[in-house]
Amino acid sequence: MSASSTDPIIAIATAPGRGGIGVIRVSGPDLSAWAEALCGQALRARHAHYLPFRNQQGETLDEGLALFFPGPHSYTGEDVLELQGHGGPAVLRRVLEDCLARGAAIGLRLAQPGEFTQRAFLNERLDLAQAEAVADLIEASSTAAARSAMASLSGAFSAEIDALSERIVQLRMLVEATLDFPEEEIDFLEKYQAAERLDAVTATLDGVLRTARQGLVLREGLHVVLAGQPNVGKSSLLNALAGEDVAIVTPIAGTTRDRVIQQIHIEGIPLHIVDTAGLRETEDTVERIGIERSWAEIARAQVILHLQDARHPDDPLDAEIVRRLPAGTPVLRVLNKMDLLDAAAPAPAPAPCGLSMVKKAGPTAAAPAPMPDPGLGSGLAVDETLQISARTGVGLDTLRARLLRIAGWTPGAESPWLARERHVRALEDARAHLALAREHAAHSDQVLDLFAEELRLAHESLCEITGQFTSDDLLGVIFSSFCIGK
Ligand code: GDP
C-alpha cells in the first residue's frame, strides 16, 4: 500500500442530507493529543463526552458528543474520534472544515470511499469477505439480504472458507513432506488415503459453492426481461408483479416506447424486471428505436418472459420472436389474458341435481407441467408454458415460484451468507484445481508434485476470498465502491 495509508483521515460518516444526528469520524495512528486539543479536554477512552464543538476562534459551531476509541480496539484498529452533532449539511461541513484546518499539522486529509474499512482490513480487524459484507449490509435492499450480509460480517462465511483451507493445507503438508522422501512417493496416496480425503474436501467445497451461489442470487438478483408483441400485457404484468403502477398501460399498441425497469422482491430476492417496447414491424422511427433497445435488453437478460395473448397462442409473429431469442437464455412462455379465454368458453351444461359446474380460473388452471430444475448457469434453457392473467392475478404465484427456481433459489433454504461474484469464481477455481489434483491421484504413474501444485493453487484461490492473497488493484476496486465515511 502507499505511504498515505497511515495519514490521519476524516469524513462525514452519516448519509448526505438532513438528519437528527450527523457523525464525523477521524482515524489515525496517534490522535489522542490532537483530539484533546480539538475538544478542549482530555477524552476518556470509549466514554461519551457532551461538549461544544468550538472552532479555532472560539466560536461554537455545534454541540454534541465526542467519543474516543484508542487503537487497536476501534473499528479501524487505529485511534478513532467520533463527533456526533446535529445532522445538517451546513453545520457538519463547518465542523469538518474546522477539523481539517486544525489537523493540517498532523497531515489530516479527507478519507476516500471505504478507507476506514480498508484500514480495518489492513489492520486485521476484518478479513476481506467481512469488509465486503460491511458494504453489502449498507446496500442490502431486503430483510433477507441484510440478515445474510450480517452473517458474512460476523464471519460465518470466512469460517467456512478457513475450515476448507485448513483441510487442504493439511493434505498439502503430507504431500510436501513425502516429496522430500521420494522413495515413499509411490505408496503416499494409499498410505494417507489422499484420494478419499480429497473427495471429502471436494464434497464440502461443493456445499459451500452451492450456498455461495444462493448468496450471490440474494445479493445480485435476477435480470428478467418481458418480451412480446405490443398489447399482450407486458406492462400490466410488470405492474401486477410490482404491485403498483410503474408502467403506462393503455389499449393502444406501441405505448411502451422505452424500457421501464422495476426492482421487486420475491422472498427477499431482488428481481430487476425490464418492460420493453412491443416487438413488431413499425414505420414509426421512435418506436423502432425502442424496439431495437428491446432486443438489446433481451440479449442481456438472464431470463426472458415471452408474453403472448392466450387467445392467439399460435400467432406466427410469436414464432418469429421465438426464432430470434438468444440461445442459452432460459425462456418462459407466458400466456396472458387467461380470464378472456375463460369468459369466451362455452357455458357449461347444467349438472345433474340442479348444480352447475363452473369452470374456475384458479391455481389449478394455471398449474404448469413439472419441469426440471435447471438453475442459472447450468446452461439449460427452460422451455415451459405458464398460463396467467395479469388482470385477475391468476397464475402469478406460479410465475414467481418459477422465477425463483430459475434464479437458483431454493425456497425456504437456510439463509446463506451474502456472496459476491468474485467469491463464487474463486470457489469455482478452487473446485477446478481439486478436480485436477484428483485426476493426478487417479493416474497410474501418480505425479506427486503435480498433485501438490494443484492443492497449492486450490488453497490460493480460497485465500483470495478472505484476502490473504490479494492484489492492491483488487483492494482498490473493492473499497472504492464503498460510501465515503465507511
Ligand atoms: P403491452 O403493450 O404488452 O405492455 O400491454 P399492456 O400491459 O399495455 O396491455 C394492453 C391491454 O391489455 C390493456 O388494455 C390491458 O388492460 C389489457 N390486459 C393486460 N393484461 C390483461 C389480462 O390479463 N386480462 C385482460 N382481460 N386484459 C389484459
Side-chain angles (χ1 to χ4, degrees):
M1 298 302 293
S2 62
S4 67
S5 66
T6 55
D7 290 346
I9 49 172
I10 185 166
I12 298 172
T14 35
R18 281 173 290 184
I21 293 172
V23 176
I24 289 176
R25 180 143 71 165
V26 191
S27 178
D30 183 13
L31 289 181
S32 60
W34 180 81
E36 185 174 331
L38 183 85
C39 296
Q41 63 180 81
L43 299 174
R44 273 182 74 193
R46 293 176 295 281
H47 275 69
H49 297 263
Y50 179 64
L51 44 85
F53 301 157
R54 292 206 182 94
N55 68 10
Q56 279 171 300
Q57 291 72 43
E59 183 194 351
T60 301
L61 306 174
D62 193 6
E63 54 186 23
L65 298 180
L67 290 119
F68 186 64
F69 304 89
H73 305 294
S74 68
Y75 180 67
T76 59
E78 303 177 324
D79 286 353
V80 170
L81 175 69
E82 262 186 36
L83 300 177
Q84 305 185 356
H86 293 95
V91 62
L92 281 169
R93 202 167 43 242
R94 288 188 84 196
V95 177
L96 178 78
E97 279 165 7
D98 179 62
C99 288
L100 274 171
R102 294 164 71 168
I106 58 166
L108 183 67
R109 63 168 170 81
L110 283 175
Q112 288 160 6
E115 203 170 2
F116 290 92
T117 309
Q118 184 168 16
R119 288 192 180 187
F121 166 67
L122 293 174
N123 293 323
E124 298 179 11
R125 303 287 297 162
L126 299 169
D127 69 33
L128 197 55
Q130 289 175 302
E132 289 169 316
V134 171
D136 290 341
L137 183 59
I138 293 171
E139 296 282 324
S141 60
S142 70
T143 306
R147 194 185 298 126
S148 300
M150 195 52 227
S152 295
L153 177 55
S154 64
F157 179 41
S158 306
E160 298 259 10
I161 300 300
D162 290 344
L164 263 175
S165 292
E166 180 59 34
R167 287 166 68 185
I168 294 177
V169 167
Q170 281 174 3
L171 202 51
R172 274 185 70 192
M173 275 163 31
L174 287 178
V175 190
E176 307 278 350
T178 312
L179 283 173
D180 293 338
F181 301 98
E183 64 281 5
E184 288 188 17
E185 263 198 38
I186 309 306
D187 60 357
F188 159 80
L189 293 169
E190 275 114 85
K191 192 164 148 196
Y192 294 107
Q193 296 178 309
E196 289 77 2
R197 292 172 73 151
L198 188 60
D199 288 345
V201 175
T202 306
T204 309
L205 192 145
D206 283 341
V208 175
L209 188 54
R210 260 195 307 279
T211 317
R213 286 200 178 113
Q214 295 261 309
L216 184 62
V217 171
L218 190 55
R219 181 175 188 271
E220 307 281 338
L222 190 67
H223 199 71
V224 181
V225 174
L226 300 175
Q229 294 189 50
N231 248 354
V232 291
K234 297 181 294 299
S235 304
S236 303
L237 176 59
L238 175 63
N239 290 341
L241 288 172
E244 63 191 80
D245 279 358
V246 284
I248 317 155
V249 179
T250 67
I252 306 152
T255 312
T256 307
R257 293 200 159 170
D258 205 347
R259 56 177 206 162
V260 177
I261 300 186
Q262 175 75 0
Q263 181 170 308
I264 64 165
H265 288 101
I266 304 178
E267 290 194 19
I269 308 298
L271 260 68
H272 316 283
I273 304 197
V274 188
D275 182 15
T276 59
L279 304 169
R280 64 167 179 180
E281 291 302 324
T282 176
E283 297 297 309
D284 181 320
T285 320
V286 179
E287 191 185 346
R288 204 169 50 237
I289 293 171
I291 291 173
E292 277 163 20
R293 287 193 191 152
S294 298
W295 283 110
E297 287 295 335
I298 288 167
R300 275 199 295 270
Q302 287 178 295
V303 182
I304 299 164
L305 294 187
H306 176 201
L307 229 65
Q308 289 178 244
D309 190 320
R311 293 167 298 177
H312 318 288
D314 299 318
D315 192 317
L317 282 175
D318 281 311
E320 181 62 17
I321 289 174
V322 169
R323 209 181 49 74
R324 285 190 61 182
L325 292 177
T329 310
V331 178
L332 283 177
R333 179 174 179 239
V334 180
L335 298 180
N336 186 33
K337 308 196 187 183
M338 286 303 290
D339 54 311
L340 295 180
L341 209 59
D342 290 340
C353 311
L355 290 173
S356 68
M357 295 193 328
V358 179
K359 187 178 172 220
K360 236 174 106 191
T364 36
M371 65 169 222
D373 183 0
L376 263 191
S378 64
L380 277 178
V382 190
D383 211 0
E384 189 187 11
T385 302
L386 297 183
Q387 299 173 334
I388 66 158
S389 165
R391 177 162 292 175
T392 66
V394 159
L396 293 187
D397 282 346
T398 311
L399 175 60
R400 289 189 186 98
R402 286 296 177 272
L403 287 171
L404 282 187
R405 183 138 37 128
I406 294 171
W409 183 255
T410 315
E414 204 180 308
S415 171
W417 359 269
L418 224 53
R420 295 183 170 208
E421 185 80 45
R422 80 169 192 94
H423 303 153
V424 170
R425 231 182 304 118
L427 284 166
E428 284 169 350
D429 284 350
R431 177 71 176 78
H433 288 302
L434 290 188
L436 285 173
R438 188 68 179 82
E439 272 177 34
H440 292 306
H443 215 260
S444 56
D445 50 322
Q446 302 148 356
V447 197
L448 263 199
D449 45 1
L450 293 181
F451 181 79
E453 177 61 5
E454 294 302 339
L455 288 183
R456 188 184 70 77
L457 292 170
H459 180 219
E460 222 166 73
S461 297
L462 290 181
C463 288
E464 276 174 22
I465 295 175
T466 45
Q468 276 131 295
F469 293 127
T470 311
S471 69
D472 281 0
D473 288 352
L474 176 65
L475 292 185
V477 170
I478 290 173
F479 288 106
S480 63
S481 66
F482 275 60
C483 40
I484 300 248
K486 195 64 224 179

